[in-house]
Amino acid sequence: MDSRGLLEPLVLSLDSIDEESASKWVSQVIEQPCKWVKATQEMVNSRGNCLLMSQSSLDDLNDRLSSSAVDAIDFRPNIVVDGGVPYQEDMWKVIQIQDSASSESSLMMKSVGLCDRCNQTTINRLTGTYNPTSEPLRTLSTYRNISGKLIFGLYLNIHFPQSSSECRRMIHVGSEITVLDQGINSTL
């Protein structure tokens, strides 16, 4: 801490993170002991860069819930798609997102599998308490259970063609999504 009682900023190099310093700094910030753990390449590759879900899927889940409705934020998606039919995103293999602000910029994303949901979705994001009814997982288990996994959402990786010299892409609310390839996403 500095002379004002504020935490000094922690500068991390992605190439060589000092796990001990990072653990100490984060522990001070959240006032709880924690340990910084570097993800292995296998961990990074097991999930996508992005989590996508559709509003129609969320609406369908909320129609089935016996308790209060859940919000998209409870599932921590990066992208929420509006329109279409519930769970159509389960079949998307490759999508292209056209930037609504620029007709020249688009982003291609490839599916790396369906998202199996964890208990995090049962924690009230405002109070930090678990939902005693285990919702929304309890309801998902009645109709979205695939091989013992409760499925809701689609993991995607950003795909940059090798010929692409510019890797920066922007998407905005209202960007149009085109499904370029679809099929069964069996990877969990």
Side-chain angles (χ1 to χ4, degrees):
M1 291 199 185
D2 68 11
S3 61
R4 298 169 293 169
L6 300 174
L7 284 176
E8 296 287 341
L10 177 66
V11 178
L12 298 173
S13 163
L14 293 178
D15 295 327
S16 58
I17 293 176
D18 176 3
E19 292 179 34
E20 186 176 330
S21 295
S23 297
K24 182 178 176 183
W25 187 87
V26 173
S27 295
Q28 288 176 327
V29 169
I30 66 172
E31 298 178 345
Q32 295 287 322
C34 71
K35 178 167 176 45
W36 183 279
V37 179
K38 278 197 255 187
T40 64
Q41 193 61 42
E42 293 78 26
M43 295 165 110
V44 172
N45 290 340
S46 69
R47 297 289 190 241
N49 306 123
C50 183
L51 176 60
L52 177 144
M53 61 181 275
S54 73
Q55 185 62 48
S56 62
S57 298
L58 181 63
D59 292 343
D60 180 72
L61 171 60
N62 280 324
D63 288 345
R64 295 168 187 261
L65 286 172
S66 59
S67 60
S68 60
V70 292
D71 296 319
I73 193 74
D74 295 322
F75 293 94
R76 302 168 315 282
N78 304 95
I79 299 173
V80 179
V81 178
D82 198 17
V85 298
Y87 313 107
Q88 68 184 7
E89 64 271 21
D90 290 358
M91 300 293 287
W92 294 351
K93 293 282 195 185
V94 181
I95 64 170
Q96 181 174 348
I97 304 175
Q98 184 66 45
D99 181 1
S100 59
S102 167
S103 61
E104 298 176 15
S105 178
S106 68
L107 178 69
M108 185 180 295
M109 302 184 87
K110 293 185 176 184
S111 167
V112 292
L114 301 171
C115 179
D116 55 311
R117 304 317 308 206
C118 67
N119 285 338
Q120 188 70 28
T121 60
T122 67
I123 299 173
N124 181 307
R125 67 186 179 282
L126 302 174
T127 64
T129 59
Y130 280 98
N131 182 331
T133 65
S134 297
E135 290 294 6
L137 294 182
R138 193 181 103 235
T139 297
L140 284 173
S141 72
T142 65
Y143 73 107
R144 299 287 295 166
N145 189 331
I146 301 174
S147 303
K149 306 282 186 182
L150 305 181
I151 305 304
F152 199 79
L154 179 67
Y155 284 119
L156 299 161
N157 276 338
I158 299 168
H159 174 70
F160 294 107
Q162 291 194 357
S163 62
S164 175
S165 60
E166 174 61 50
C167 291
R168 290 183 61 175
R169 300 289 189 266
M170 298 287 285
I171 60 174
H172 299 88
V173 172
S175 293
E176 184 177 320
I177 294 182
T178 303
V179 178
L180 300 178
D181 189 20
Q182 56 186 343
I184 297 173
N185 276 305
S186 58
T187 307
L188 294 176

